[in-house]
Amino acid sequence: MNLFWVFLLLIIFVDLSLQNLELPVRGASPKLNEKYSKIKNQEFFKCDNGLNEYPISFINDNYCDCEDGSDEPGTSACIEMTFYCSNEGYVPEIIPSSRVNDGICDCSDGSDEWMSPNKCQNLSKEKKVRLDKQMEEEITIRREGYIAKLKLKKKTEKKSDKALQKINDLNQEIKEINKTLIQITYYQSLYTDPNKVMTEEQKTEVNSFLKLTGWERFKSFFVSSSISNQNKLQMKKSKIEDKIMILQEKIKMVDPFQTDNQSNPEDDFFYLKDTHYSWKTDDKHYDYTFYPFDKVEQRDNNDRNTVTIGRWNDKQVTDGQELYINGKRCNNGPSREVLIKYKCHKTSKIVSVKETNFCIYELIFQTPGICEDIDDDFHDQQKKEAIESEIVSKNVISTKNNNSNSGLWKIVIIVALCVMAYFAYTYYNQKNDNNGLFQKKSLKNE
Amino acid sequence: MKKIICFFLFLFFLLLCCECADQSKFKLCSQSTFCENNREIRKNGSGPRFSFVPSSAKVDENKNLFQIDLLRSDEVEPRLFVEISSVIPGVVRVKINEKDPDLNRYEVEGVLLTENFNYQNAEIVSQNEELILLRFGSEKEKHADVKLVYGSSWKIEILNSGGEPIMVLNNDSLFNFEMDKKDFLLNKQKEKEKEAEAKNSDNEKEKEEEEEEEKNQEDDQPNYEERFGGNTDSRPYGPSSVALDVIFPDTEHIYGLPEHSTKLSLEDTEEGEPFRLYNVDILEYETESRMSLYGSIPVIISKPNNQKTLHGIFWFNPSDTWIDISTQETQTKKKLFGKNSRVSKRAHWMSETGVIDLFIMTGQEGKMYQVFEMYDTLTGFPYFPPSFSVAYHQCRWSYKTQKEIQNLNEKFDEYDIPVDVFWMDIDHTDGKKYFTFDSRTYPDPKQLSKTVSDKGRKLVAIVDPHIKKENSWELYKEAQSNDYFIKKSDRKTDYEGHCWPGTSKWPDFLNQKVIEWWGSRFSYDKYEGSTSNMHIWNDMNEPAIFNGPEMSIPRDTIHLGEIEHRNIHNSYGFFVTKGTFEGLIKRNQDQNERPFILTRSFFAGSQRYSTIWTGDNMANWDQLKYTESMLLSLGLAGAPLSGEDAGGFLNNPDEELFARWFQTSAFHPFFRSHSHTDTKRREPWVFGDPYTSIIRESVKIRYSLLPFYYTQFYKASTKGKPIMRPLWLVFPEDANALNEEVENFSYMISSSMLVSPISEKNQISKDVYLPKGCWYDFHTLEKINSKGATYKIDAPLEKIPIFYRGGKIVPRKMRVRRSSHLMQNDPITLFVFLDENKKSSGSIFIDDGHSYDFKNSNKYIHQKISFQNNKLFTKTLNSNYDPALIERILIFGLEQTPKNIMDNNNQDLIFNVDESIDMITIKKPNLSIGHDWQILIQ
């Protein structure tokens, strides 16, 4: 190191023997305090980076001595440092050192504004009470959500069983009908094959097959030609074929994923299929409608225009969110897309929609499908802490923006704009009788 | 196939059309009759010749004014006169107007600080057949000499103390004063008189004949209509342009004429378009273009060769003005050896109408800043805005809801980026009716104001001068019933145009009553939702009108007193800010709070009411590059409080451009990020690291320098000195400072810091010229002893070249917090940079940051701090405010290791020395700004 520090500390000025570090050191984390407790009775301490050594009295003397800022855990003297709010009885908080003694209460226990002791109240207790209540509420919400999810799942599973039964029934029916179809084909061949001559027995059989009603039987006494029987057979055949088609359609409708009773990734949200949810912005300017497994639409209530802002892209929900892409292209911009963030709740609805970036939306949707199991005793400490920190910090996930810079759409838009501008211009000129474009010319002619 | 080819050709043609579409909205000189005519006169030498009438020369009784008539060579009676006076020591006013008072030409009122001048004594020193020599002021004091030269064409020389001309008026006889239509009108009047006589004589036949004659004459009446872009200007008074050439002898560099996106030194224009001053709303303006932009200051500052002074000329005319610049080389006989040529500059001023009214500011040798003080004494010193406005501003078109701003208020803290002001663009209003809030999106603006002020932050709301035509709106009704709107050329009906709210009208700010009414609308009870925490942004005040000629109001619309708009055009925006300023003062009962106003349009004098920004720039490297010369030019023309939309208003900047833009913008007097509604979001955290960190760092640097910047703002408001300065202003002896690269792409903050922005993509180092002296790298604090040379300076993405100047003391506050307000009580760190003589000096101003107490009750601290003979000491000019503690003093460049350092009580101070960068750090000296003290280094 080319850093050379010269110290001229007169003993008279700084009486080292009187220094005693008071513990805990203000603004220091428990870990740091542990470190300080070891050097409590020493005269000097070393900065965290080990570079410099200073008298103990330099700790928290509201002047930044250490290059790494480690001598000032409790003041704003060192920049880019942190202050530890112990918040006894509540969750500890860590704030930037620049917020110490700036006139705003940041720590829940008010310990950051120690220069003006009466400014801040210690809200730790109240916050703890509130946090516990919030935790309880949150856990209730999640638990209820999970129960709702299980119920819905059962329903869809039941629905699946039923569907399966129905599919079997339908398949059975198709089988039955198919038999008849084969029979008809056989009879038809009797008529059409020139090498075969129909026996009376066969004729009666066909007749009895065709003439199911008394009227037909009666009719056959008068009209008994092979041609009419052939036509009848043909008619019957096409009727049966239609019926098979309808049955097959029915099977499709019952089982759109054709999953053969295997569980599929959408199972958790299966109940959302063919539903939709709407939400209005505060200013009532826009309506948003979410069609799960399909799309999200935005309706402008001023011009009554509806645009699709994102389409389902057949991907799974990961980390509680899902991106619907390829919405309508923005004027002068990219395709709209919408990030759907799922939030656990026993009922399903849109919580909010906002445009987080130019033509990029974020839709928060509460629904049971995302809920996870929370056991009764709530042993899962990690999960609990996660929920707790979520509540405490109310962390808002920052949106990350991808720059989609493709030159092509720009050109397309320029061209489109030019066309529009040109038409507007010509229209304008027509209105203004030869002013405008030709004005320059006419001036010169004058 | 043919069809397809045709289609593509069509598209190609359209693309071409599209590219030039915006420019074609605005006139070229050749499309402006008077500009073309005056240029024609210059080319052909075809102009009318005027000469002095020596017998008419006289000084008035009070010895205030000198007058002399001007006679046109083809006329017998002089119709014009010249009036010369000196309204401020060293400032010469030359006015040329018609003698005939029948149809008065418009003379500007309300722009100058005062119209009650303290005239300097006028005296004819000598007089002969060839010339008159005038002197204004006494010999002993600052005085100005003016020489009038007779001859076939009049000529006026303004002389310096050595008797050498510093400006010559009408040297090339380009003076023009059009009166054609007026002649016609006068003739017509005479005809009428005759007609009346004829009636008396009862001779009907004669009368009929005369009527016929009159009819014929009416047919002969020349048509002065001027058409452009589908609009017709009726020009009922015909041509009335005024023009004059001004020579700046022995001068290679002249500056000023903002606002143009050109290089700083005014370039020759005769090959192309002249510089134009006509305030317009121009979208996507181009760099290196002499087209007019949003504001106009008709001031040229001349820097005579090899002299340490500046002179200025203020062409006091707010009508459409074009200026041609040219270079003249004249042979001189004085020098025996070497080159005998002398380079001079000429400005050919051409205004559409009005009178010729010039203020010539003559600087004395050795006084570089005198010209600014003179100009500001005339038009007003810059206003002193509240301290929050010196900090960082966050804007976008638009933050559409109250929630969005509340969210920003949190986000900036989350990302640990300081910010002082959130801006509300047009969408916060109820249907673009200014002075209102949209109750659906901004349900509780007062609550919003409180939320942000809890963190020491402010709001700025936009208020534009177009008033929505909506009969049910109380404000509109009030203006309507009082007849406050500008009239159409018919003088009866209100002019209506199209702007953001749809059909709108424009208040006639020429009417003092309208200014007062406008101001009254800012009172808290009328402007519902506004608070003392909210300040104002005046946009679209050129005025901008979507369907008007050149995107503005027709020139033949009528203001109070039958004044045609063409007469006042460039001053409209000025008057809007005047009304706003007065209103914001009056909204507080004690009238003791300083307003902050941002304006897009401006004129001479705007500096006393508002901060200026450079309008709708674009997010590209070129625009970033030219921002510096635009702001420098504004500073030289008396408007030092200016900035630009950091990041570029239109289009999307890439991460690098955005970060680089913040790095330089952080040093501009006004520091605001703004973006168009069609652009992607670009709040500082959007791009992510490393860019967000770079932006954070830039903003934090600005905050740490706030004590220094605030002092510069105060000094600008008292001395008129620019805050951003070209290097040659600080180093007038250094010829290299006039080099194009140096002049345009490096600048000084006051005379203490040098900033050289990076304005090219992928650039990681820059050749920076450092004038002779000691310089200290802002980032590393390493010293460079420059002999006046160019140094290659590292400039990776994280930093741009910035230097402290040896010999300057810079006060900083290193504890950067969430907003400037929260830093108010923080201790100060003094950075003392020694020059080669181990000397240094600086000053600091402190007050409450928001009131006029500093002025009304002297409640402020102004202290000079100097270093000399190993002693750091203060001189307190005023100390009537809470002292500010000094936590640290850093002394650079002493080149010795002290044995001890003592304060004035002989107390030893704790210090340490970092020899690697020759820095002495004095820890907690227990001193404060506001008390006198000294420190001795032994």
Side-chain angles (χ1 to χ4, degrees), chain A residues 3-5 8 61-62 65 76 79-80 98-100 102 106 282 357-358 398 401 418 439, chain B residues 11 18 227 403 413 415 678 681 686 700 814-815 817-818 899 911-914 923-924:
Chain A
L3 268 178
F4 177 72
W5 289 75
L8 290 160
D61 68 343
N62 203 13
D65 294 287
S76 58
I79 53 171
E80 314 296 340
S98 66
R99 292 175 197 180
V100 176
D102 67 348
D106 292 286
D282 287 351
N357 203 336
F358 183 49
S398 70
N401 299 292
C418 288
Q439 169 252 341
Chain B
L11 280 185
C18 204
R227 290 175 178 188
K403 268 189 195 162
D413 292 347
Y415 287 92
D678 284 347
R681 282 297 174 125
V686 168
K700 284 191 170 179
M814 305 312 285
R815 305 181 184 199
R817 304 196 189 257
R818 280 168 281 190
K899 288 194 190 89
F911 70 95
N912 59 48
V913 178
D914 182 347
K923 174 178 174 172
K924 292 210 280 190

Short mmCIF file of all heavy atoms in Angstrom, two decimals, chain A residues 3-5 8 61-62 65 76 79-80 98-100 102 106 282 357-358 398 401 418 439, chain B residues 11 18 227 403 413 415 678 681 686 700 814-815 817-818 899 911-914 923-924:
data_model
loop_
_atom_site.label_atom_id
_atom_site.label_comp_id
_atom_site.label_asym_id
_atom_site.label_seq_id
_atom_site.Cartn_x
_atom_site.Cartn_y
_atom_site.Cartn_z
N LEU A 3 -0.29 3.98 0.82
CA LEU A 3 -0.91 4.89 1.80
C LEU A 3 -0.03 4.98 3.03
O LEU A 3 0.30 3.97 3.64
CB LEU A 3 -2.28 4.38 2.19
CG LEU A 3 -3.46 4.90 1.37
CD1 LEU A 3 -4.72 4.25 1.87
CD2 LEU A 3 -3.56 6.41 1.50
N PHE A 4 0.34 6.17 3.35
CA PHE A 4 1.19 6.32 4.51
C PHE A 4 0.52 7.30 5.48
O PHE A 4 0.32 8.47 5.17
CB PHE A 4 2.55 6.84 4.07
CG PHE A 4 3.48 7.09 5.21
CD1 PHE A 4 4.04 6.02 5.91
CD2 PHE A 4 3.80 8.39 5.59
CE1 PHE A 4 4.90 6.26 6.95
CE2 PHE A 4 4.66 8.61 6.64
CZ PHE A 4 5.22 7.55 7.33
N TRP A 5 0.10 6.80 6.58
CA TRP A 5 -0.65 7.64 7.52
C TRP A 5 0.25 8.10 8.67
O TRP A 5 0.88 7.30 9.34
CB TRP A 5 -1.84 6.88 8.09
CG TRP A 5 -2.89 6.71 7.04
CD1 TRP A 5 -2.87 5.86 6.00
CD2 TRP A 5 -4.11 7.44 6.95
NE1 TRP A 5 -4.00 6.01 5.23
CE2 TRP A 5 -4.78 6.98 5.81
CE3 TRP A 5 -4.70 8.45 7.72
CZ2 TRP A 5 -6.01 7.48 5.41
CZ3 TRP A 5 -5.93 8.94 7.33
CH2 TRP A 5 -6.56 8.46 6.18
N LEU A 8 -0.43 12.45 14.51
CA LEU A 8 0.14 13.32 15.51
C LEU A 8 -0.91 13.58 16.56
O LEU A 8 -1.62 14.57 16.58
CB LEU A 8 0.58 14.63 14.84
CG LEU A 8 1.77 14.46 13.93
CD1 LEU A 8 1.87 15.61 12.97
CD2 LEU A 8 3.05 14.31 14.72
N ASP A 61 -17.74 8.52 16.62
CA ASP A 61 -17.49 9.90 17.02
C ASP A 61 -18.01 10.87 15.95
O ASP A 61 -17.62 12.03 15.90
CB ASP A 61 -16.00 10.13 17.28
CG ASP A 61 -15.17 10.06 16.01
OD1 ASP A 61 -15.67 9.52 14.99
OD2 ASP A 61 -14.02 10.53 16.00
N ASN A 62 -18.89 10.36 15.08
CA ASN A 62 -19.51 11.17 14.03
C ASN A 62 -18.49 11.72 13.04
O ASN A 62 -18.63 12.81 12.51
CB ASN A 62 -20.33 12.32 14.65
CG ASN A 62 -21.40 12.82 13.69
OD1 ASN A 62 -21.69 12.18 12.67
ND2 ASN A 62 -21.99 13.96 13.98
N ASP A 65 -13.47 7.69 9.90
CA ASP A 65 -12.03 7.48 9.87
C ASP A 65 -11.65 6.31 8.97
O ASP A 65 -10.75 6.40 8.15
CB ASP A 65 -11.51 7.24 11.29
CG ASP A 65 -11.67 8.47 12.17
OD1 ASP A 65 -10.91 9.43 11.96
OD2 ASP A 65 -12.57 8.47 13.03
N SER A 76 -24.18 9.03 10.62
CA SER A 76 -24.28 9.16 9.17
C SER A 76 -22.94 9.59 8.57
O SER A 76 -22.87 9.96 7.41
CB SER A 76 -25.36 10.18 8.83
OG SER A 76 -25.03 11.43 9.42
N ILE A 79 -20.37 7.19 4.35
CA ILE A 79 -21.39 6.98 3.33
C ILE A 79 -21.45 5.52 2.92
O ILE A 79 -20.51 4.77 3.12
CB ILE A 79 -21.15 7.89 2.10
CG1 ILE A 79 -19.73 7.71 1.57
CG2 ILE A 79 -21.40 9.34 2.46
CD1 ILE A 79 -19.49 8.40 0.26
N GLU A 80 -22.56 5.15 2.39
CA GLU A 80 -22.80 3.79 1.88
C GLU A 80 -22.68 2.73 2.98
O GLU A 80 -22.28 1.61 2.72
CB GLU A 80 -21.86 3.44 0.72
CG GLU A 80 -21.72 4.49 -0.37
CD GLU A 80 -23.01 4.78 -1.11
OE1 GLU A 80 -23.92 3.94 -1.06
OE2 GLU A 80 -23.11 5.87 -1.71
N SER A 98 -27.20 6.91 5.64
CA SER A 98 -27.61 8.27 5.26
C SER A 98 -28.97 8.62 5.86
O SER A 98 -29.41 9.75 5.77
CB SER A 98 -27.65 8.40 3.75
OG SER A 98 -28.66 7.58 3.21
N ARG A 99 -29.64 7.64 6.45
CA ARG A 99 -30.96 7.94 7.03
C ARG A 99 -30.88 8.16 8.54
O ARG A 99 -31.90 8.34 9.20
CB ARG A 99 -31.95 6.82 6.68
CG ARG A 99 -32.22 6.87 5.19
CD ARG A 99 -33.08 5.80 4.63
NE ARG A 99 -32.88 5.81 3.17
CZ ARG A 99 -33.47 5.01 2.34
NH1 ARG A 99 -34.32 4.10 2.77
NH2 ARG A 99 -33.23 5.10 1.04
N VAL A 100 -29.65 8.13 9.05
CA VAL A 100 -29.48 8.37 10.48
C VAL A 100 -29.50 9.88 10.73
O VAL A 100 -28.81 10.64 10.04
CB VAL A 100 -28.14 7.77 10.96
CG1 VAL A 100 -27.90 8.10 12.43
CG2 VAL A 100 -28.13 6.26 10.75
N ASP A 102 -31.62 12.24 10.05
CA ASP A 102 -32.00 13.13 8.95
C ASP A 102 -33.39 13.73 9.19
O ASP A 102 -33.94 14.39 8.32
CB ASP A 102 -31.96 12.40 7.60
CG ASP A 102 -33.02 11.31 7.49
OD1 ASP A 102 -33.63 10.97 8.53
OD2 ASP A 102 -33.23 10.79 6.39
N ASP A 106 -37.01 6.25 10.69
CA ASP A 106 -36.97 5.09 9.81
C ASP A 106 -37.04 3.78 10.59
O ASP A 106 -37.75 2.87 10.21
CB ASP A 106 -35.70 5.12 8.96
CG ASP A 106 -35.72 6.26 7.96
OD1 ASP A 106 -36.46 6.14 6.97
OD2 ASP A 106 -35.04 7.27 8.18
N ASP A 282 -58.98 2.78 -11.57
CA ASP A 282 -59.58 3.77 -10.67
C ASP A 282 -60.31 4.86 -11.44
O ASP A 282 -61.38 5.30 -11.05
CB ASP A 282 -58.50 4.42 -9.80
CG ASP A 282 -58.02 3.46 -8.73
OD1 ASP A 282 -58.65 2.39 -8.60
OD2 ASP A 282 -57.03 3.77 -8.06
N ASN A 357 -44.30 -0.70 -17.70
CA ASN A 357 -43.41 -0.07 -18.64
C ASN A 357 -44.22 0.15 -19.90
O ASN A 357 -45.34 -0.33 -19.99
CB ASN A 357 -42.20 -0.95 -18.92
CG ASN A 357 -41.03 -0.15 -19.42
OD1 ASN A 357 -41.20 0.94 -19.97
ND2 ASN A 357 -39.85 -0.67 -19.24
N PHE A 358 -43.64 0.86 -20.85
CA PHE A 358 -44.35 1.17 -22.06
C PHE A 358 -44.88 -0.12 -22.69
O PHE A 358 -44.11 -0.95 -23.16
CB PHE A 358 -43.42 1.91 -23.01
CG PHE A 358 -44.07 2.35 -24.28
CD1 PHE A 358 -45.28 3.03 -24.26
CD2 PHE A 358 -43.47 2.09 -25.50
CE1 PHE A 358 -45.88 3.43 -25.43
CE2 PHE A 358 -44.06 2.50 -26.67
CZ PHE A 358 -45.27 3.18 -26.63
N SER A 398 -39.05 -5.39 -8.46
CA SER A 398 -38.84 -4.44 -9.55
C SER A 398 -38.98 -5.15 -10.88
O SER A 398 -38.60 -6.29 -11.04
CB SER A 398 -37.45 -3.82 -9.44
OG SER A 398 -36.49 -4.79 -9.74
N ASN A 401 -36.67 -4.94 -17.42
CA ASN A 401 -37.11 -4.62 -18.77
C ASN A 401 -36.13 -5.11 -19.80
O ASN A 401 -34.94 -4.85 -19.73
CB ASN A 401 -37.27 -3.12 -18.92
CG ASN A 401 -38.31 -2.62 -17.97
OD1 ASN A 401 -39.47 -2.92 -18.13
ND2 ASN A 401 -37.86 -1.91 -16.96
N CYS A 418 -46.19 7.80 -42.43
CA CYS A 418 -46.04 8.63 -43.62
C CYS A 418 -47.30 8.56 -44.47
O CYS A 418 -47.76 9.58 -44.98
CB CYS A 418 -44.85 8.18 -44.43
SG CYS A 418 -43.31 8.62 -43.65
N GLN A 439 -47.93 26.10 -52.64
CA GLN A 439 -47.84 27.50 -52.29
C GLN A 439 -46.50 28.10 -52.69
O GLN A 439 -46.42 29.20 -53.19
CB GLN A 439 -48.10 27.63 -50.79
CG GLN A 439 -47.80 28.96 -50.20
CD GLN A 439 -46.55 28.88 -49.34
OE1 GLN A 439 -46.15 27.80 -48.94
NE2 GLN A 439 -45.95 30.00 -49.10
N LEU B 11 -43.94 4.56 -51.65
CA LEU B 11 -43.51 4.50 -50.25
C LEU B 11 -42.22 5.26 -50.04
O LEU B 11 -42.05 6.00 -49.08
CB LEU B 11 -43.32 3.05 -49.82
CG LEU B 11 -44.59 2.29 -49.46
CD1 LEU B 11 -44.21 0.90 -48.96
CD2 LEU B 11 -45.40 3.03 -48.41
N CYS B 18 -41.54 12.40 -45.41
CA CYS B 18 -41.67 12.27 -43.97
C CYS B 18 -40.47 12.87 -43.26
O CYS B 18 -40.58 13.55 -42.27
CB CYS B 18 -41.76 10.79 -43.66
SG CYS B 18 -42.57 10.48 -42.12
N ARG B 227 -48.24 34.09 -47.69
CA ARG B 227 -48.80 32.75 -47.44
C ARG B 227 -47.69 31.79 -47.07
O ARG B 227 -46.59 31.85 -47.59
CB ARG B 227 -49.50 32.25 -48.69
CG ARG B 227 -50.76 33.00 -48.97
CD ARG B 227 -51.33 32.53 -50.27
NE ARG B 227 -52.57 33.22 -50.55
CZ ARG B 227 -53.37 32.89 -51.55
NH1 ARG B 227 -53.04 31.89 -52.34
NH2 ARG B 227 -54.48 33.56 -51.75
N LYS B 403 -51.10 7.88 -7.24
CA LYS B 403 -50.45 6.67 -6.74
C LYS B 403 -49.08 6.49 -7.35
O LYS B 403 -48.14 6.06 -6.70
CB LYS B 403 -51.30 5.44 -7.10
CG LYS B 403 -52.29 5.05 -6.02
CD LYS B 403 -52.91 3.72 -6.39
CE LYS B 403 -54.14 3.45 -5.56
NZ LYS B 403 -54.97 2.41 -6.17
N ASP B 413 -36.28 5.82 -2.74
CA ASP B 413 -35.64 5.45 -1.48
C ASP B 413 -35.18 4.00 -1.53
O ASP B 413 -34.12 3.65 -1.04
CB ASP B 413 -36.61 5.64 -0.32
CG ASP B 413 -36.91 7.11 -0.10
OD1 ASP B 413 -36.18 7.94 -0.67
OD2 ASP B 413 -37.87 7.42 0.63
N TYR B 415 -34.17 2.38 -4.05
CA TYR B 415 -32.95 2.28 -4.83
C TYR B 415 -31.88 3.24 -4.35
O TYR B 415 -30.85 3.40 -4.99
CB TYR B 415 -33.25 2.49 -6.32
CG TYR B 415 -33.95 1.30 -6.91
CD1 TYR B 415 -35.33 1.24 -6.96
CD2 TYR B 415 -33.21 0.23 -7.40
CE1 TYR B 415 -35.98 0.15 -7.49
CE2 TYR B 415 -33.85 -0.87 -7.93
CZ TYR B 415 -35.23 -0.92 -7.97
OH TYR B 415 -35.86 -2.00 -8.49
N ASP B 678 -44.65 8.20 -25.29
CA ASP B 678 -44.50 7.01 -26.13
C ASP B 678 -43.18 6.28 -25.92
O ASP B 678 -42.89 5.32 -26.62
CB ASP B 678 -44.61 7.39 -27.61
CG ASP B 678 -46.06 7.65 -28.00
OD1 ASP B 678 -46.95 7.29 -27.21
OD2 ASP B 678 -46.29 8.22 -29.08
N ARG B 681 -40.39 3.30 -20.17
CA ARG B 681 -40.08 3.81 -18.84
C ARG B 681 -38.57 3.91 -18.66
O ARG B 681 -37.83 3.05 -19.15
CB ARG B 681 -40.64 2.85 -17.78
CG ARG B 681 -42.11 3.00 -17.59
CD ARG B 681 -42.38 4.37 -17.08
NE ARG B 681 -43.78 4.64 -17.01
CZ ARG B 681 -44.39 5.05 -15.89
NH1 ARG B 681 -43.70 5.20 -14.79
NH2 ARG B 681 -45.66 5.31 -15.91
N VAL B 686 -34.55 1.48 -13.99
CA VAL B 686 -35.07 0.62 -15.05
C VAL B 686 -33.97 -0.16 -15.75
O VAL B 686 -34.12 -1.33 -16.06
CB VAL B 686 -35.88 1.46 -16.07
CG1 VAL B 686 -36.16 0.65 -17.31
CG2 VAL B 686 -37.18 1.94 -15.45
N LYS B 700 -25.73 11.52 -6.74
CA LYS B 700 -25.13 11.75 -5.42
C LYS B 700 -24.00 12.78 -5.49
O LYS B 700 -23.82 13.57 -4.56
CB LYS B 700 -24.63 10.43 -4.83
CG LYS B 700 -25.79 9.58 -4.29
CD LYS B 700 -25.32 8.41 -3.46
CE LYS B 700 -26.52 7.75 -2.77
NZ LYS B 700 -26.12 6.59 -1.97
N MET B 814 -20.84 15.80 2.29
CA MET B 814 -20.58 14.44 1.85
C MET B 814 -21.66 13.45 2.30
O MET B 814 -21.73 12.34 1.80
CB MET B 814 -19.21 13.96 2.32
CG MET B 814 -18.06 14.88 1.91
SD MET B 814 -18.08 15.34 0.16
CE MET B 814 -17.51 13.82 -0.58
N ARG B 815 -22.49 13.87 3.25
CA ARG B 815 -23.55 12.95 3.72
C ARG B 815 -24.79 13.14 2.85
O ARG B 815 -25.70 13.87 3.20
CB ARG B 815 -23.87 13.24 5.17
CG ARG B 815 -22.64 13.18 6.05
CD ARG B 815 -22.96 13.44 7.49
NE ARG B 815 -21.72 13.47 8.27
CZ ARG B 815 -21.66 13.32 9.58
NH1 ARG B 815 -22.77 13.15 10.27
NH2 ARG B 815 -20.51 13.35 10.21
N ARG B 817 -28.22 12.58 1.33
CA ARG B 817 -29.43 11.95 1.87
C ARG B 817 -30.53 11.87 0.81
O ARG B 817 -30.29 12.19 -0.33
CB ARG B 817 -29.89 12.72 3.10
CG ARG B 817 -28.78 12.83 4.16
CD ARG B 817 -29.35 13.25 5.48
NE ARG B 817 -28.36 13.57 6.47
CZ ARG B 817 -28.01 12.76 7.49
NH1 ARG B 817 -28.55 11.56 7.59
NH2 ARG B 817 -27.14 13.15 8.39
N ARG B 818 -31.73 11.52 1.26
CA ARG B 818 -32.81 11.26 0.30
C ARG B 818 -33.24 12.51 -0.46
O ARG B 818 -33.71 12.43 -1.59
CB ARG B 818 -34.01 10.66 1.03
CG ARG B 818 -33.86 9.19 1.28
CD ARG B 818 -34.91 8.70 2.24
NE ARG B 818 -34.57 9.03 3.62
CZ ARG B 818 -35.21 8.55 4.68
NH1 ARG B 818 -36.22 7.73 4.50
NH2 ARG B 818 -34.85 8.88 5.90
N LYS B 899 4.08 19.94 10.53
CA LYS B 899 4.44 19.46 11.86
C LYS B 899 3.20 19.50 12.74
O LYS B 899 2.87 18.55 13.42
CB LYS B 899 5.53 20.33 12.45
CG LYS B 899 6.88 20.14 11.80
CD LYS B 899 7.98 20.78 12.66
CE LYS B 899 9.29 20.83 11.93
NZ LYS B 899 9.44 22.06 11.15
N PHE B 911 -4.94 15.76 12.42
CA PHE B 911 -4.88 15.69 10.95
C PHE B 911 -4.09 14.47 10.54
O PHE B 911 -3.38 13.86 11.33
CB PHE B 911 -4.24 16.96 10.38
CG PHE B 911 -2.76 17.08 10.68
CD1 PHE B 911 -1.83 16.65 9.75
CD2 PHE B 911 -2.32 17.62 11.88
CE1 PHE B 911 -0.47 16.76 10.02
CE2 PHE B 911 -0.97 17.72 12.16
CZ PHE B 911 -0.03 17.28 11.22
N ASN B 912 -4.25 14.10 9.30
CA ASN B 912 -3.35 13.10 8.74
C ASN B 912 -3.03 13.47 7.31
O ASN B 912 -3.67 14.34 6.70
CB ASN B 912 -3.93 11.70 8.86
CG ASN B 912 -5.26 11.57 8.18
OD1 ASN B 912 -5.40 12.00 7.04
ND2 ASN B 912 -6.24 11.03 8.88
N VAL B 913 -2.00 12.86 6.80
CA VAL B 913 -1.50 13.22 5.47
C VAL B 913 -1.50 11.99 4.59
O VAL B 913 -1.03 10.93 4.99
CB VAL B 913 -0.06 13.79 5.57
CG1 VAL B 913 0.47 14.12 4.18
CG2 VAL B 913 -0.03 15.01 6.46
N ASP B 914 -2.07 12.12 3.42
CA ASP B 914 -1.96 11.07 2.41
C ASP B 914 -0.98 11.58 1.36
O ASP B 914 -1.33 12.40 0.52
CB ASP B 914 -3.33 10.79 1.80
CG ASP B 914 -3.28 9.67 0.80
OD1 ASP B 914 -2.16 9.29 0.40
OD2 ASP B 914 -4.35 9.18 0.41
N LYS B 923 -9.32 16.70 10.77
CA LYS B 923 -10.52 16.07 11.30
C LYS B 923 -11.23 16.99 12.28
O LYS B 923 -10.61 17.53 13.18
CB LYS B 923 -10.12 14.77 12.00
CG LYS B 923 -11.27 14.09 12.72
CD LYS B 923 -10.86 12.78 13.36
CE LYS B 923 -12.02 12.24 14.19
NZ LYS B 923 -11.79 10.89 14.70
N LYS B 924 -12.52 17.12 12.10
CA LYS B 924 -13.38 17.88 13.02
C LYS B 924 -12.70 19.10 13.63
O LYS B 924 -12.39 19.13 14.83
CB LYS B 924 -13.88 16.95 14.14
CG LYS B 924 -14.83 15.89 13.62
CD LYS B 924 -15.84 15.47 14.67
CE LYS B 924 -15.26 14.48 15.64
NZ LYS B 924 -16.28 13.86 16.51
#
